[in-house]
Amino acid sequence: MKLCGYEAQAFNAWRECDADFSIIGFDEVSRRTDLDRTKVRRAVRGLARKGLLQFHRCSWTDEGLPHGAGYGLTAAGAEYRTPAEGRR
């Protein structure tokens, strides 16, 4: 699968996430990647259309408190980010 420039840059925001705890919002993706929010929004939604991310209405902190909506890795997204760099 080929990712465009902004998608690849935005997808790097999930590089250090645990697959089970990977829900992050647009602002956090922007902070982790230095992309502006408009580009993040477009890139993340493109990644979701490609099946690498999935929207979640609500996420939770480690303390069990509601944290808000965001996008998290799918099984395909977790597999894609593994170090099989030759296929990218």
Side-chain angles (χ1 to χ4, degrees), residues 17-75:
C17 288
D18 183 282
D20 292 330
F21 302 99
S22 64
I23 300 171
I24 56 179
F26 291 150
D27 289 336
E28 182 64 16
V29 175
S30 181
R31 188 185 66 73
R32 291 182 184 190
T33 62
D34 293 329
L35 287 171
D36 67 62
R37 189 171 158 80
T38 304
K39 290 176 185 166
V40 165
R41 185 175 166 176
R42 245 181 151 175
V44 168
R45 289 182 175 168
L47 291 166
R49 281 190 298 277
K50 291 180 179 180
L52 300 176
L53 300 176
Q54 179 180 6
F55 178 74
H56 296 270
R57 289 185 186 266
C58 188
S59 63
W60 305 89
T61 66
D62 291 335
E63 292 79 32
L65 301 171
H67 188 57
Y71 284 80
L73 291 169
T74 62

Side-chain angles (χ1 to χ4, degrees), residues 1-11 42-43 46-47 50:
M1 177 181 319
K2 181 85 168 141
L3 301 181
C4 73
Y6 293 139
E7 289 174 342
Q9 195 173 353
F11 194 63
R42 245 181 151 175
L47 291 166
K50 291 180 179 180

